[in-house]
Amino acid sequence: MSFANVTLELLSGFGMTCLLFILTLAFALPLGLIICFGSMTKFKPVRYIVRGFVWIIRGTPLMLQLFVVFYVPGMVFNTPIFAPFGDYGRFVAALIAFVINYACYFSEIYRGGIESISKGQYEAGQVLGMTKGQIFFKIVLKQVIKNIVPPMSNEIITLVKDTSLARVIAVADIIFKAEEILSLKALIWPLFYAGAFYLIFNGLLTLLFRRTEKSLSYFHS
Amino acid sequence: MAYLEVRNIRKSFGSTEVLKGIDFDLKQGEVLSIIGSSGSGKTTLLRCLNYLETADEGQVSLNGDVIFDANTIKQESSDQIRTRRLNFGMVFQQFNLFPQYTALENVMLAPNQVVPSILKAKKAEFKIQYEDLPFIERTRTINREVRKYRKYLLDNNKEMAKELLTRVGLHDKMGNYPCELSGGQCQRVAIARALAMRPNILCFDEPTSALDPELTGEVLKVIRELKETTNSTMIIVTHEMEFAKHVSDKVIFMANGVVEEAGTPKQVFDHPKSEKTVAFLKKAVEDTEYEEIGAVDNV
């Protein structure tokens, strides 16, 4: 198998990796905020349930969660619920598992960010007659964003690499493709070559995060 | 009848009673200093006036209107409380400036938040004013007028903010972020910010306690100038005895959650009646002397 053929094969897998990454991010970022508010609410039953859920998701391996999402609904309802998605059934199952898992991690990052804002900032807004919404959007939000950029970039870079776990339910990501070449053609170098794809992708992300951090460095909270 | 009347304010945190029935009156244009050792409840009292804490009992009235009543406060909406809060301005010990905004933006922020609701009311007025115009032209005219009015309001706020910052001596620091300012400058921005909402009474919670000694002067000077030039009504919680003595019309000494002694600065500082006041003032003088000796040693 030539270098060009391997590259093409890996690229098709990498497309899947990117798709999983981007969609996970798109759904998990807002869902994380909802979970975050749930884990901070004054209404105790909701808070306990949400915190218990976060504990379970963060306390068990993502690989296990992939199996649970893919197999358990079918076993419970006795019908293949991912069947309507056809070829994409496995992908959808993986996406759901990733979104839930990462939303829980993001929610904890959000919570840390919100709790790091001093009470004085809220009080200063209150005594100036601002509403809760104005205080959150005009005063708190930007400081929270500044505070969570470093842990967020960490988590997002981890997500890029974690997408490779999706191959355990046979989602054809880049590592899946490389392993296929390994078993069919007895070539091991495509696996290492796949690593270069991750490296470049994460390099670009790192640059992006550094720029974001820099653009927020004009103030200290 | 006094301008501000505070009656029987009580506040407990858990089983600790921090305020055990505070009463005092204040006339318009008067400056009140509240002194007392740490933990005597001075700050809590100020926070109760600003609705940052809710007193368990008591009443506050301003200009004859009851603006706080512990019995009915629970039934009031957050909007009502928000409006009443604007009677009081507040300057915090830790400044609490908004770090992502410049000095000017810090001062303008709160006034600008009110602009949309003013515009909404104005738009309703325009609707009546241009009733006779045909629909499309009417909409266009109203939108144009609203835009013009919005710009007018925002420009106005900006001018006011600039004026306030100039008044506190920071005309050359308007574009600076809080992290680029000294503590004294930050506190002066905070004073300008509090003035921007035109409070009836300006409250200071130990405004110089977080500052280096050489920076307290500039903040105290601004407060003194406020008294002299605008005749503002102010309540100042402070540890600066000399300042309290010279700037205030009235002094309250608090100990263990009660008003131990109240009167003119002359009465409280020169002829204290209560033994606790005497002891507190003696200690304050000793501390100041000690600090001064320490300062000499450091040189």
Side-chain angles (χ1 to χ4, degrees):
Chain A
M1 227 180 151
S2 73
F3 183 75
N5 284 342
V6 169
T7 305
L8 279 178
E9 191 70 7
L10 290 185
L11 267 179
S12 78
F14 191 59
M16 191 62 106
T17 298
C18 288
L19 193 65
L20 189 55
F21 167 75
I22 285 166
L23 288 179
T24 301
L25 216 52
F27 290 113
L29 285 172
L31 182 63
L33 198 59
I34 294 169
I35 295 176
C36 165
F37 289 142
S39 73
M40 288 172 76
T41 175
K42 284 187 185 127
F43 186 56
K44 276 186 182 168
V46 171
R47 195 172 71 210
Y48 290 146
I49 290 169
V50 171
R51 288 197 177 179
F53 182 73
V54 172
W55 170 64
I56 291 169
I57 297 297
R58 295 205 309 163
T60 56
L62 176 54
M63 192 191 277
L64 197 60
Q65 291 162 18
L66 280 160
F67 284 126
V68 170
V69 172
F70 188 52
Y71 293 114
V72 170
M75 285 154 64
V76 172
F77 300 108
N78 209 17
T79 150
I81 67 157
F82 292 111
F85 298 103
D87 289 347
Y88 280 95
R90 292 167 183 279
F91 177 80
V92 171
L95 181 62
I96 291 171
F98 273 98
V99 167
I100 292 173
N101 184 278
Y102 270 83
C104 286
Y105 278 99
F106 290 158
S107 80
E108 287 297 288
I109 293 177
Y110 290 140
R111 190 162 69 91
I114 290 173
E115 283 174 354
S116 72
I117 305 302
S118 79
K119 227 175 98 196
Q121 292 288 309
Y122 293 93
E123 290 181 348
Q126 281 176 318
V127 296
L128 289 167
M130 292 170 73
T131 62
K132 270 187 178 170
Q134 288 166 346
I135 292 172
F136 184 78
F137 287 107
K138 299 282 174 176
I139 300 174
V140 177
L141 187 62
K142 200 160 192 183
Q143 298 181 49
V144 171
I145 291 173
K146 182 186 167 77
N147 288 346
I148 66 175
V149 168
M152 250 334 178
S153 28
N154 235 338
E155 206 55 46
I156 290 172
I157 284 172
T158 305
L159 170 62
V160 174
K161 295 171 290 176
D162 270 0
T163 51
S164 65
L165 278 174
R167 76 184 189 285
V168 299
I169 54 171
V171 172
D173 82 319
I174 184 168
I175 298 283
F176 183 90
K177 293 280 186 186
E179 274 181 339
E180 213 175 48
I181 299 171
L182 174 67
S183 53
L184 294 178
K185 314 272 174 181
L187 289 176
I188 192 145
W189 63 266
L191 207 48
F192 307 139
Y193 182 26
F197 283 77
Y198 286 102
L199 208 52
I200 290 165
F201 193 63
N202 276 332
L204 293 174
L205 279 179
T206 307
L207 288 177
L208 183 74
F209 291 132
R210 207 171 290 164
R211 271 184 62 173
T212 315
E213 243 176 274
K214 212 173 163 195
S215 73
L216 288 167
S217 66
Y218 67 92
F219 72 89
H220 304 290
S221 52
Chain B
M1 192 181 56
Y3 183 55
L4 176 73
E5 290 182 1
V6 175
R7 292 285 170 271
N8 192 33
I9 293 288
R10 285 170 183 274
K11 175 74 187 171
S12 302
F13 293 111
S15 57
T16 329
E17 199 175 18
V18 183
L19 298 176
K20 301 169 183 165
I22 304 288
D23 296 82
F24 69 84
D25 289 344
L26 197 60
K27 292 200 188 86
Q28 194 156 18
E30 270 187 337
V31 175
L32 166 72
S33 290
I34 304 177
I35 58 171
S37 46
S38 306
S40 59
K42 314 177 297 277
T43 296
T44 308
L45 174 61
L46 210 56
R47 291 172 61 85
C48 283
L49 292 178
N50 278 287
Y51 307 84
L52 289 174
E53 306 287 352
T54 310
D56 304 326
E57 274 180 54
Q59 257 196 1
V60 179
S61 40
L62 186 76
N63 227 349
D65 299 325
V66 177
I67 56 166
F68 172 81
D69 189 329
N71 296 321
T72 54
I73 190 80
K74 286 258 156 65
Q75 290 130 38
E76 284 180 41
S77 70
S78 56
D79 273 344
Q80 276 172 309
I81 294 174
R82 211 158 45 76
T83 325
R84 290 202 188 150
R85 202 171 230 151
L86 291 174
N87 286 312
F88 296 93
M90 177 80 159
V91 175
F92 298 89
Q93 187 179 350
Q94 301 293 344
F95 333 133
N96 293 338
L97 291 183
F98 308 130
Q100 73 268 44
Y101 294 121
T102 62
L104 188 68
E105 288 165 340
N106 260 281
V107 180
M108 287 190 303
L109 182 69
N112 282 352
Q113 301 312 307
V114 193
V115 167
S117 61
I118 299 175
L119 285 181
K120 212 171 154 191
K122 197 74 187 173
K123 196 170 179 179
E125 266 179 48
F126 285 139
K127 266 185 188 156
I128 298 166
Q129 192 179 336
Y130 296 109
E131 220 169 13
D132 307 332
L133 294 176
F135 179 75
I136 293 178
E137 205 188 329
R138 192 178 87 169
T139 319
R140 222 177 265 158
T141 315
I142 290 175
N143 284 344
R144 196 181 55 229
E145 291 290 315
V146 166
R147 266 202 306 277
K148 231 162 69 188
Y149 196 65
R150 178 167 181 275
K151 189 171 181 306
Y152 163 78
L153 288 174
L154 293 179
D155 287 349
N156 241 2
N157 285 344
K158 197 168 186 175
E159 277 313 305
M160 176 191 63
K162 281 182 178 168
E163 211 172 285
L164 287 171
L165 283 171
T166 309
R167 200 197 289 174
V168 297
L170 291 174
H171 51 276
D172 53 342
K173 299 285 180 194
M174 293 189 195
N176 289 79
Y177 290 95
C179 61
E180 300 164 341
L181 301 173
S182 72
Q185 290 168 336
C186 280
Q187 194 58 299
R188 286 188 280 155
V189 174
I191 293 172
R193 182 178 70 175
L195 289 171
M197 292 307 279
R198 304 180 194 284
N200 293 315
I201 297 175
L202 191 53
C203 301
F204 294 85
D205 181 15
E206 303 190 20
T208 58
S209 294
L211 298 176
D212 293 336
E214 71 267 25
L215 298 177
T216 56
E218 57 186 83
V219 172
L220 297 180
K221 187 170 152 251
V222 166
I223 300 176
R224 203 174 298 135
E225 278 168 5
L226 273 181
K227 175 188 158 77
E228 283 157 11
T229 56
T230 59
N231 207 23
S232 316
T233 315
M234 297 189 265
I235 302 177
I236 309 168
V237 168
T238 183
H239 287 298
E240 302 280 336
M241 294 306 145
E242 277 306 302
F243 173 71
K245 200 168 167 177
H246 289 112
V247 83
S248 24
D249 302 293
K250 202 170 173 182
V251 177
I252 286 179
F253 170 65
M254 279 179 71
N256 298 321
V258 295
V259 175
E260 188 69 29
E261 188 145 358
T264 63
K266 219 180 172 72
Q267 285 168 342
V268 176
F269 285 106
D270 299 340
H271 310 287
K273 278 175 254 154
S274 149
E275 267 173 44
K276 280 185 189 164
T277 321
V278 176
F280 173 77
L281 290 173
K282 191 162 164 254
K283 193 162 176 305
V285 171
E286 277 168 10
D287 286 352
T288 322
E289 277 168 3
Y290 184 76
E291 261 171 37
E292 274 161 12
I293 294 165
V296 171
D297 279 353
N298 284 337
V299 172

